[in-house]
Amino acid sequence: MPKQQILDAIKENDTIILHRHVRPDADALGSQCGLKEMISTTFPEKNVFVVGEEDPALTFLAEMDDIADDMFTDALVIVCDTANTGRISDVRYKLGKQIIKIDHHPNVDPYGDIMWVDTTASSTSEMIYELLLFGQGEWKLSEYGAKLIYGGIVGDTGRFLFPSTNNKTFRYAADLIEYPFDRQALYDGLYNVEVKIARLRGYILQNFTLTKSGVSKIVLSKEVLEQFDVLPLETGKLVGTLGEVKGIKAWIFFVEEEDVIRVRLRSKGPVINELAQKYNGGGHPLASGASVSSWEEADRFMEDLEALCAAYKG
Ligand code: AMP
């Protein structure tokens, strides 16, 4: 029973350090920091830290702790929402005494002394709430923790729209909104965009291409990003933009970064994470990411995606 093992391991340790994936999103932070809240609310005497690089767009949700390397020596390390070790933010996770993986992505890299992976969960935040329920009565959550976990669920389900949203998701969300956090402020933080991002959304809608097989593509080159004064990291909020266009089976964003072209891939049916794995990436069946190192490789990625969508009978 990984849930019992996880709760026992937390109880047994005085220092617990929580990680999540690089380029965090609401679920990464919601699960990481929601779990921190759950532990510190239940056991205020424990030292619980969250680590990893910050994304300025998400610091309104939570901020990371700055800790010395030697804190890891005797620590329990828990990694949330991260399928493979290469994507763990803050490589010092290796220094921990014991490692736990909690995740809802396919278990492509089964790391950790204890693993709890549930690919049917809408989000890792949903799993953290499930852990709280499992620890019935004894484990507690603060209002802030509820806000974090709810935010993670909202983020990873695309506001309860994606097919990963299940009956548990709604039940847990119903529980979580019993806590009196300001939901409107949370939505504003997650979804309000700056004017420059809204303008770039306009560019995407004007310039995307769509093939007969239902593959849509947009290229955000360095020049385009410069024109709109937007950083590659800031394009995360734009990936959903094409999801509502009729006739699209899968869509792809090529975002040119300093020395790599970041691929953001989404689908309405064809399974895309295996394709993402072929190009240094991975993710969920319908939401994945990868990276390519040249525009020629980007073209090959497109050809593969085209073949995948042409063969798909949805
Ligand atoms: P993103 O486009 O960054 O929002 O990523 C969508 C999904 O794909 C997330 O669940 C990520 O965990 C996963 N993902 C993105 N990039 C990678 C990568 N390079 N390797 C593995 N998984 C990835």
Side-chain angles (χ1 to χ4, degrees):
M1 279 298 280
K3 279 183 270 192
Q4 190 59 57
Q5 285 176 288
I6 292 170
L7 294 183
D8 290 345
I10 295 172
K11 277 188 191 174
E12 283 159 18
N13 282 278
D14 294 330
T15 303
I16 300 145
I17 305 175
L18 304 169
H19 293 244
R20 39 74 191 165
H21 61 77
V22 291
R23 299 195 298 138
D25 54 19
D27 188 33
L29 289 178
S31 53
Q32 176 194 32
C33 303
L35 181 56
K36 174 182 174 176
E37 277 299 300
M38 174 176 148
I39 300 169
S40 359
T41 311
T42 312
F43 300 107
E45 67 288 357
K46 289 192 190 290
N47 302 310
V48 193
F49 303 105
V50 285
V51 294
E53 96 276 25
E54 306 257 14
D55 174 350
L58 289 171
T59 44
F60 81 94
L61 272 180
E63 289 185 25
M64 297 295 109
D65 299 307
D66 192 5
I67 57 171
D69 297 358
D70 57 10
M71 291 300 285
F72 284 81
T73 317
D74 252 334
L76 168 67
V77 164
I78 306 181
V79 184
C80 295
D81 198 38
T82 313
N84 53 309
T85 50
R87 295 209 352 121
I88 301 176
S89 189
D90 198 333
V91 293
R92 294 180 297 169
Y93 74 88
K94 293 175 189 157
L95 306 177
K97 180 176 74 174
Q98 189 185 9
I99 300 177
I100 295 178
K101 174 185 193 183
I102 303 180
D103 190 26
H104 73 132
H105 297 91
N107 200 3
V108 288
D109 177 5
Y111 64 85
D113 304 297
I114 301 172
M115 255 184 311
W116 178 30
V117 174
D118 180 0
T119 53
T120 68
S122 72
S123 50
T124 306
S125 298
E126 181 179 302
M127 295 173 71
I128 300 301
Y129 190 70
E130 193 163 312
L131 194 62
L132 177 86
L133 293 183
F134 185 80
Q136 275 190 357
E138 185 185 3
W139 292 76
K140 300 182 184 65
L141 191 64
S142 60
E143 177 187 327
Y144 176 45
K147 170 180 150 177
L148 287 163
I149 293 176
Y150 181 80
I153 294 175
V154 167
D156 246 34
T157 59
R159 301 180 241 187
F160 305 105
L161 272 182
F162 301 156
S164 56
T165 311
N166 55 49
N167 53 356
K168 269 199 289 192
T169 320
F170 283 116
R171 272 207 308 275
Y172 297 171
D175 285 357
L176 287 162
I177 63 169
E178 296 282 339
Y179 292 80
F181 61 86
D182 184 343
R183 239 182 309 156
Q184 192 54 52
L186 175 65
Y187 294 147
D188 288 348
L190 289 174
Y191 296 109
N192 282 2
V193 292
E194 286 177 62
V195 171
K196 64 180 187 178
I197 303 285
R199 302 262 187 245
L200 182 55
R201 179 173 289 155
Y203 173 89
I204 292 166
L205 289 167
Q206 292 283 350
N207 291 282
F208 74 88
T209 54
L210 177 58
T211 68
K212 272 214 235 70
S213 320
V215 178
S216 184
K217 173 178 94 164
I218 186 79
V219 174
L220 299 179
S221 62
K222 277 184 187 161
E223 291 73 33
V224 171
L225 292 172
E226 253 166 47
Q227 184 193 334
F228 287 89
D229 190 26
V230 168
L231 297 170
L233 188 71
E234 294 176 297
T235 58
K237 280 185 177 171
L238 293 165
V239 190
T241 302
L242 297 176
E244 290 162 4
V245 181
K246 270 191 183 173
I248 293 184
K249 284 188 200 160
W251 67 101
I252 192 160
F253 275 52
F254 290 110
V255 184
E256 190 176 11
E257 295 187 354
E258 212 37 62
D259 42 18
V260 82
I261 301 165
R262 182 77 52 194
V263 183
R264 292 174 176 272
L265 187 59
R266 298 291 185 272
S267 169
K268 291 271 176 164
V271 170
I272 49 173
N273 53 349
E274 283 157 18
L275 176 59
Q277 273 166 31
K278 190 174 153 187
Y279 291 89
N280 304 309
H284 303 283
L286 304 181
S288 300
S291 61
V292 293
S293 49
S294 66
W295 292 111
E296 290 73 40
E297 199 182 2
D299 289 343
R300 286 201 295 280
F301 199 123
M302 272 303 283
E303 282 163 24
D304 285 351
L305 184 59
E306 186 72 26
L308 193 75
C309 288
Y312 177 75
K313 306 277 173 269

